[in-house]
């Protein structure tokens, strides 16, 4: 039962509950008209304390396409946050007006705190360098569409594995599917945090490899998941400049990759995928962004219990 639940991290929902959301998304993709009024008279609040294009616009378009309405802010200083209001008080107030809330925040754990004070479902839209569960729903729906299922897949995650919250959430989520194999491609300074390695990969017995270059892993992969280096999480600009162009995916680097490998990226892209890759049939990152809207429609409808 998903009605009334919060989504703070990908493991909040079981594999079966995720499948319910994906099946709803399948239905929406097949027949959007059928769902165009299911959220009539419902209100979504978007509380974005950090910049966003895809997550905010896909949530807003998702609610509008379900027949609901949207309120919110994309600039916290336009709200009473600027006067020092706490997250607990903000969410308790928003819960008086809206039926469901989506929160992005630079501080890890902020959406969790909000959920503890909220009578309405709270969805984590990204908290610092921690988790981004709705990006993971997007990624899983996209992988499921192109690969047919979520089992027996070799996934290469490349770039900023230290600060990249989408990768943390994706690894956690994929660790629950049979025979997942993870290839982690990063420079030494941007390696996956130890807690992901120890508490997820080792604890769950997920087979994993570490690589320094895309070329050494690419021929094995079913999915190559590129990420940008997260400038906003660095303490030191010099380190960012030194590391930002470590990986630039081009045609040469995937010369020996499988013909049906798919290339994903949560976006925004900065420099890590050359534009020449956009025409490659394996490039799926803009279709992935579209899947984000469908899966968020499915999520909202299930959490509101309107189906
Ligand atoms: N993928 C993602 O979270 O993009 P935005 O930061 O634009 O929302």
């Amino acid at each position: 039962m998903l009605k009334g639940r919060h989504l703070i991290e990908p493991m909040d929902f079981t594999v079966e509950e995720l499948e319910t959301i994906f099946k709803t998304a399948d239905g929406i993709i097949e027949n959007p008209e059928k769902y165009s009024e299911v959220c009539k008279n419902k209100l979504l609040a978007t509380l974005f304390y950090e910049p966003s294009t895809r997550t905010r616009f896909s949530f807003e378009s998702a609610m509008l396409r379900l027949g609901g309405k949207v309120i919110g802010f994309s600039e916290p200083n336009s709200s009473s946050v600027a006067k020092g209001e706490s997250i607990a008080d903000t969410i308790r107030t928003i819960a008086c007006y809206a039926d469901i809330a989506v929160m992005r925040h630079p501080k890890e754990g902020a959406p969790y705190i909000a959920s503890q004070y909220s009578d309405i479902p709270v969805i984590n839209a990204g908290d610092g360098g921690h988790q981004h569960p709705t990006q993971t729903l997007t990624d899983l729906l996209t992988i499921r569409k192109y690969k047919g299922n979520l089992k027996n897949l070799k996934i290469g995650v490349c770039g900023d594995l230290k600060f990249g919250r989408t990768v943390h959430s994706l690894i956690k989520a994929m660790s629950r599917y049979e025979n997942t194999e993870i290839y982690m491609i990063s420079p030494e300074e941007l390696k996956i945090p130890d807690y992901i390695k120890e508490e997820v990969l080792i604890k769950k017995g997920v087979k994993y490899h570490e690589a320094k270059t895309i070329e050494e892993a690419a021929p094995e992969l079913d999915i190559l998941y590129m990420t940008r280096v997260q400038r906003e999480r660095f303490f030191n600009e010099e380190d960012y400049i030194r590391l930002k162009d470590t990986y630039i995916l081009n045609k040469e680097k995937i010369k020996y990759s499988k013909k049906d490998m798919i290339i994903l990226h949560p976006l925004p892209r900065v420099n890590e995928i050359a534009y020449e890759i956009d025409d490659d049939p394996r490039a799926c990152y803009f279709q992935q962004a579209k899947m984000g809207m469908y899966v968020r429609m499915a999520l909202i409808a299930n959490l509101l219990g309107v189906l």
Side-chain angles (χ1 to χ4, degrees):
M1 186 68 169
L2 290 161
K3 185 179 177 186
R5 299 260 296 274
H6 305 296
L7 175 59
I8 304 302
E9 69 145 296
M11 310 301 250
D12 286 346
F13 297 163
T14 63
V15 167
E16 292 72 29
E17 286 167 341
L18 289 182
E19 196 51 35
T20 300
I21 293 170
F22 299 146
K23 289 223 165 84
T24 306
D26 291 340
I28 292 169
I29 293 167
E30 205 172 301
N31 187 2
E33 195 55 39
K34 186 176 156 199
Y35 296 85
S36 63
E37 297 210 353
V38 294
C39 283
K40 206 172 166 192
N41 302 323
K42 299 286 185 192
L43 204 51
L44 169 82
T46 54
L47 316 177
F48 276 67
Y49 294 75
E50 255 195 355
S52 167
T53 298
R54 276 143 294 272
T55 311
R56 186 166 71 85
F57 284 98
S58 63
F59 263 115
E60 294 189 359
S61 53
M63 190 51 157
L64 295 172
R65 284 172 187 269
L66 292 169
K69 293 193 167 59
V70 180
I71 55 172
F73 57 76
S74 56
E75 169 45 69
N77 286 330
S78 67
S79 75
S80 283
V81 171
K83 301 174 199 160
E85 187 170 53
S86 68
I87 286 186
D89 287 357
T90 299
I91 195 70
R92 279 184 288 200
T93 307
I94 295 296
C96 299
Y97 311 137
D99 301 290
I100 186 165
V102 180
M103 178 183 283
R104 170 171 287 190
H105 203 287
K107 286 206 181 115
E108 301 181 357
Y112 171 73
I113 302 283
S115 72
Q116 298 302 294
Y117 289 90
S118 178
D119 295 335
I120 61 171
V122 173
I123 301 170
N124 178 5
D127 59 330
H130 191 217
Q131 300 286 336
H132 193 347
T134 64
Q135 181 63 49
T136 304
L137 298 191
T138 301
D139 300 340
L140 296 185
L141 184 68
T142 309
I143 293 169
R144 189 173 161 278
K145 172 181 158 69
Y146 285 98
K147 292 286 155 198
N149 67 67
L150 294 163
K151 292 189 282 189
N152 305 316
L153 294 170
K154 294 184 179 182
I155 306 177
V157 289
C158 177
D160 184 349
L161 309 187
K162 180 178 179 185
F163 297 117
R165 59 194 174 196
T166 63
V167 168
H168 303 167
S169 292
L170 182 62
I171 290 177
K172 274 188 161 187
M174 285 306 297
S175 72
R176 297 198 291 190
Y177 294 96
E178 229 173 280
N179 285 330
T180 293
E181 211 167 312
I182 310 271
Y183 290 71
M184 297 183 287
I185 309 158
S186 72
E188 193 60 31
E189 295 94 326
L190 299 178
K191 279 171 83 167
I192 202 85
D194 286 344
Y195 86 92
I196 301 271
K197 210 190 263 186
E198 284 155 21
E199 291 170 28
V200 183
L201 298 174
I202 296 172
K203 200 167 171 182
K204 290 176 173 273
V206 178
K207 202 164 171 190
Y208 71 90
H209 315 263
E210 291 175 282
K212 287 273 179 290
T213 65
I214 295 173
E215 294 90 318
E216 60 191 286
E220 303 297 327
L221 303 177
D222 300 304
I223 298 148
L224 174 57
Y225 192 96
M226 296 297 295
T227 63
R228 86 189 154 91
V229 175
Q230 306 265 309
R231 181 181 203 159
E232 64 276 31
R233 316 260 177 245
F234 274 72
F235 294 113
N236 175 334
E237 182 73 3
E238 278 170 28
D239 286 345
Y240 169 71
I241 290 168
R242 183 167 52 80
L243 293 167
K244 71 185 173 71
D245 291 332
T246 310
Y247 302 109
I248 301 176
L249 185 67
N250 57 24
K251 286 188 176 169
E252 182 65 24
K253 289 183 182 156
I254 50 169
K255 198 162 59 175
Y256 300 114
S257 291
K258 295 175 188 168
K259 293 277 170 277
D260 64 348
M261 181 184 80
I262 57 169
I263 303 166
L264 302 181
H265 190 310
L267 304 178
R269 151 174 63 182
V270 181
N271 207 22
E272 56 284 348
I273 300 182
Y275 279 83
E276 67 178 22
I277 295 287
D278 294 0
D279 298 328
D280 190 299
R282 293 170 287 188
C284 297
Y285 26 92
F286 288 107
Q287 293 93 324
Q288 181 185 1
K290 191 162 189 175
M291 288 295 124
M293 180 185 73
Y294 292 126
V295 89
R296 289 176 175 113
M297 289 173 79
L299 178 66
I300 292 169
N302 276 285
L303 297 188
L304 288 176
V306 294
L307 297 174

